[in-house]
Each structure stands twice: as structure tokens, then as C-alpha cells.
Amino acid sequence: MTHHQTTDQTPVGQSSNCLSAVGVAKLQRIAAQFSSGADITAVEAFGSGNINDTFLVTVKNISQPRFVLQRINTHVFRQPQLVMQNMSIFTCHVRDRLQRSPLARRWEVPRVLLTHEGDDHWIESDESVWRAISFIEGSESFDAMHDVDHAREVGYALGTFHSLISDLPPDQLADTLEGFHITPRYLQHYEQVLATTTVNLSSEVTYGLQFVRDRAEWCSVLEHAKAGGKLPLRLMHGDPKVNNVMFDCSTGKAVSVIDLDTVKPGLVHYDIGDCLRSGCNPIGEETEQWETVYFEPDLCQGILQGYLSVAKAFLTNHDYDYLFDAIRLIAFELGLRFLTDHLAGNVYFKVKHRDHNLMRALVQFQLTQSIESQETVIRSLIAEMR
Ligand code: GN1
Ligand code: MG
């Protein structure tokens, strides 16, 4: 069990002890920019994101004793102002909507905290970019799901998230990460990196290369459906992995989806695929025992039931037709992204050791294979829910 609000991390390729890398005094000074004058009592490293650096700040303030401080990874998010602009448009829209038509249960939207000058981010003298977000008190997140009820709640959370933005026109949000989840673009980049890599082509790497080759043609499936007008461009979360869903500590109900960096135009299929690839892998994406990874169809059914209890209202027949491909594709795509980063020398995702991204790639490929081998079961449980 974890207690983190995950989001992405550090300067590209750096390993994880970001607290000592930045320095406590400097962190306290940056945190004070967002604390509205309240004294800072603690700053600790927080969460397990792969891109940004995340800290939990404790302040002497009874109504809001904690907030989340993050250094935005500007190698990944090259226009951090646009990320913050999207976040503001999103949170304003959802707050307004919830005020007009409240849900029958607790639902929270993270708040962007402003600096003393009223800005939504702070630029340090070393040009690092920082922002602060409210901590959802009395909530927690989990890296793995315990049971089908939990899975239904995760699905409900994603459905609620999509439903609350279904009336916000996609063109109102900027594209803050060009090419994100466009699988054929990742494949193109992979081929470029492969042509010049100096990484040792071990048997595991060779296995990965063959795995990609065998699926290269199919991997444009969602992009083709989008280009052919079958799947509409909508707003998406972009990264709804299972530990980005917050649960109320006392009721055990989902209360929020956090990590709003990649809320932008895209396909809801990317989100459904990402939620399922992270939620239905009980061993988790960081295991070193990649051969034992499997996709659990009961959890998949639970997530989809929860999701569809809300999303049935806006999904089309074509949307259902591409659900299986979405589940298979996003696991494969993440494996491809990890393998590419391994071949490139670990320049995008934070790593703890040299072969970390290779291990992560093998985990996602094993998951993809498990999804493929259960195609009939997964397709029939989708068919039953239509
Ligand atoms: C990254 O940093 P984090 O954990 O929130 C990545 C996601 C991946 C995820 C895999 C912007 O998210 O796409 O699914 O790692 N985010 C970005 O754990 O690339
Ligand atoms: Mg993220």
C-alpha cells in the first residue's frame, strides 16, 4: 500500500533520490513560495512517478496542513506553462460542473496553489520549474488492486473523470506532449534509436526486438480508426494508472483521479488501456520476475463494469469495437517506450539501474502476451457488457 499522489519526475535519466539531489533548504524555500505565509514543517520525497520530482510539504495550517510540490520535468514537458494552463481550464470546468450538478457521492478535484505573486508556477534561478497542488486529505492510493470491488471503484473513477469533461470541447486544451500515445510514432522513434544504439544486444533485448517486429503492422490500429473517423478525438487524462486514483481512507470509495499533467486531446481508449494494463497486472509494473506477469480478467471485468456504469451514456458502438485492441495496445506501447529508452541509454524515464527500462519493457511485453492469449475471454466479457 502506498500513500502517494503520483505524478511524474526529475531531469531526464536521473535516479530517484530527488530530496538529496535538490537539497532540503532549497526545497523549503521553494515550498514557501506556495505556502501563503504558513511555516513549512517538513518536505519529504513523495510517490513513485517516472518523470517529475514530487514532494509532500507539511505546513502549520489547520485547514490545509499538506500540499504536493513538484518540479516539472521540462525535458518532457517543454512548455510547462501550457501544462498549467490546461490544468486550470480543466479544474475550473469540473468545479463549475460539480457545483451546478453535484454527484451523489464525494468527488474531489485537486487545486492548483498560487505563489505570493499569484502565479501558477515558480521558476527558480537555475531555471527549474515548480508548481504546487492541494493534497486530498483523508485519501490514499494503491499500486495494486486488492479485489473486484476495488477494481469497480477504479473503473467508476475513470468513467466519472471522462464524464465530467465530456462537455468541454477538446480544442480548449493545448497539446502539451506531442505524439503522446500515438503508437506508430513511438515505433518510428524506436527504429531511429535502434539504428544507432550502442547497447549490448543480449538475449532479452533480442527477444524484445522480435516482440516489436511481430506487432509492428498492427500497432497503428487506433490511429487508423481515428483517421477513419471511427473514434472521435476527446479529452483524456493520459495517465490514469491505478495508483493515480485516490480512495477515501474511511469509506474505501474512489474520490479523485490525480496527476493532471497529460489531460489533453486524445482517445478515451488510451485511458481505458492504461487503466487496465496497470490495474489488471497484480504483480505490478516494477517487478523483476517478468516471466510471472499475467493479466487478470476478473479485475478487467470489474474495472470495465465500474467504467461503463458511467460511460455507457457516451460510448458509441465503434468505441466498444476497439476496446480489446486498446487493452492490448497500451501495454505493448509502454513496453515499446521502455525498450526504446533502454536502447537510447535511459534518457526519458527515471531509472534505478542500467537495465531498469529493459526489465520494465519485458514486464509490459509479458502482459501483452497474456492479454493476447486471453483474447476470447476478454472479448466475450466486453460483449456481455455492451
Ligand atoms: C510515466 O511519471 P508517471 O509515473 O506519472 C509516463 C506514463 C507511463 C508511466 C508508466 C508523461 O508516468 O506515460 O504510463 O510512466 N508519463 C509520461 O509508469 O511519459
Ligand atoms: Mg503521470
Side-chain angles (χ1 to χ4, degrees):
M1 185 201 294
T2 54
H3 205 100
H4 53 231
Q5 297 203 327
T6 332
T7 315
D8 316 22
Q9 326 282 294
T10 296
V12 172
Q14 269 192 26
S15 63
S16 49
N17 196 347
C18 42
L19 196 59
S20 54
V22 183
V24 176
K26 181 172 169 182
L27 275 170
Q28 295 209 340
R29 193 172 44 69
I30 297 169
Q33 301 298 331
F34 297 96
S35 73
S36 306
D39 287 341
I40 313 283
T41 51
V43 183
E44 48 195 303
F46 194 52
S48 56
N50 292 327
I51 310 288
N52 295 326
D53 277 331
T54 306
F55 306 91
L56 184 64
V57 180
T58 312
V59 290
K60 281 198 184 132
N61 175 348
I62 299 165
S63 63
Q64 182 73 60
R66 291 183 286 185
F67 65 86
V68 177
L69 177 69
Q70 293 186 301
R71 173 165 60 182
I72 303 178
N73 183 332
T74 49
H75 296 268
V76 171
F77 298 106
R78 301 212 168 240
Q79 291 177 284
Q81 306 85 330
L82 285 185
V83 172
M84 298 314 294
Q85 183 185 302
N86 277 2
M87 223 178 253
S88 298
I89 297 171
F90 163 86
T91 51
C92 283
H93 174 85
V94 175
R95 269 167 210 293
D96 188 49
R97 204 169 132 179
L98 286 171
Q99 227 158 33
R100 279 185 286 117
S101 31
L103 300 182
R105 51 184 278 186
R106 181 182 178 200
W107 191 258
E108 306 273 350
V109 188
R111 260 180 317 110
V112 174
L113 307 188
L114 302 182
T115 65
H116 302 310
E117 285 80 35
D119 295 323
D120 57 17
H121 63 283
W122 166 258
I123 304 179
E124 259 292 288
S125 49
D126 63 4
E127 297 194 348
S128 55
V129 181
W130 298 78
R131 56 115 187 275
I133 294 169
S134 62
F135 178 81
I136 297 163
E137 290 298 336
S139 76
E140 61 189 333
S141 73
F142 304 90
D143 287 328
M145 291 191 296
H146 356 284
D147 53 35
V148 176
D149 287 337
H150 190 182
R152 278 197 200 100
E153 280 298 303
V154 167
Y156 167 83
L158 183 61
T160 302
F161 186 92
H162 283 166
S163 157
L164 289 170
I165 48 176
S166 59
D167 58 340
L168 179 62
D171 62 6
Q172 297 216 350
L173 296 194
D175 189 349
T176 47
L177 199 53
E178 219 202 313
F180 192 52
H181 288 313
I182 312 286
T183 319
R185 289 199 33 179
Y186 290 116
L187 184 68
Q188 216 176 13
H189 179 53
Y190 157 85
E191 275 156 5
Q192 285 161 0
V193 170
L194 182 60
T196 55
T197 186
T198 54
V199 162
N200 170 30
L201 297 186
S202 62
S203 58
E204 278 132 336
V205 172
T206 316
Y207 165 80
L209 302 186
Q210 186 62 44
F211 198 90
V212 172
R213 214 172 293 130
D214 291 343
R215 290 155 185 82
E217 216 169 298
W218 156 77
C219 85
S220 303
V221 56
L222 292 186
E223 293 316 303
H224 283 159
K226 187 166 74 180
K230 289 182 175 162
L231 299 179
L233 198 68
R234 295 179 170 114
L235 287 178
M236 58 160 186
H237 179 281
D239 188 17
K241 54 180 174 183
V242 64
N243 59 15
N244 278 335
V245 177
M246 302 306 293
F247 283 81
D248 185 299
C249 297
S250 47
T251 64
K253 295 282 183 195
V255 290
S256 187
V257 184
I258 58 159
D259 187 1
L260 305 173
D261 285 327
T262 47
V263 178
K264 68 183 196 82
L267 297 178
V268 290
H269 289 71
Y270 305 149
D271 279 356
I272 300 167
D274 198 54
C275 189
L276 289 162
R277 69 122 200 111
S278 62
C280 307
N281 165 8
I283 300 168
E285 63 186 76
E286 288 293 331
T287 181
E288 303 235 319
Q289 266 73 56
W290 61 272
E291 282 113 329
T292 59
V293 167
Y294 66 98
F295 183 86
E296 174 50 64
D298 289 344
L299 294 175
C300 172
Q301 187 173 31
I303 292 186
L304 286 176
Q305 277 169 347
Y307 181 72
L308 294 173
S309 73
V310 188
K312 231 181 182 142
F314 58 83
L315 291 189
T316 66
N317 277 333
H318 281 314
D319 285 328
Y320 285 95
D321 291 343
Y322 285 94
L323 282 185
F324 175 77
D325 279 314
I327 301 168
R328 179 182 171 206
L329 187 68
I330 300 300
F332 170 73
E333 178 194 274
L334 185 57
L336 173 65
R337 294 171 63 199
F338 283 141
L339 181 61
T340 306
D341 204 30
H342 176 70
L343 297 172
N346 306 317
V347 295
Y348 185 93
F349 296 104
K350 290 208 285 190
V351 289
K352 296 204 170 91
H353 56 89
R354 199 194 54 191
D355 290 338
H356 198 163
N357 278 318
L358 176 60
M359 279 299 120
R360 289 166 167 161
L362 295 171
V363 168
Q364 295 304 318
F365 288 158
Q366 190 69 21
L367 191 66
T368 308
Q369 202 156 54
S370 175
I371 293 166
E372 290 166 351
S373 69
Q374 300 182 83
E375 175 166 354
T376 314
V377 177
I378 300 169
R379 281 196 188 276
S380 67
L381 62 88
I382 293 168
E384 279 164 25
M385 281 184 253
R386 282 178 86 139

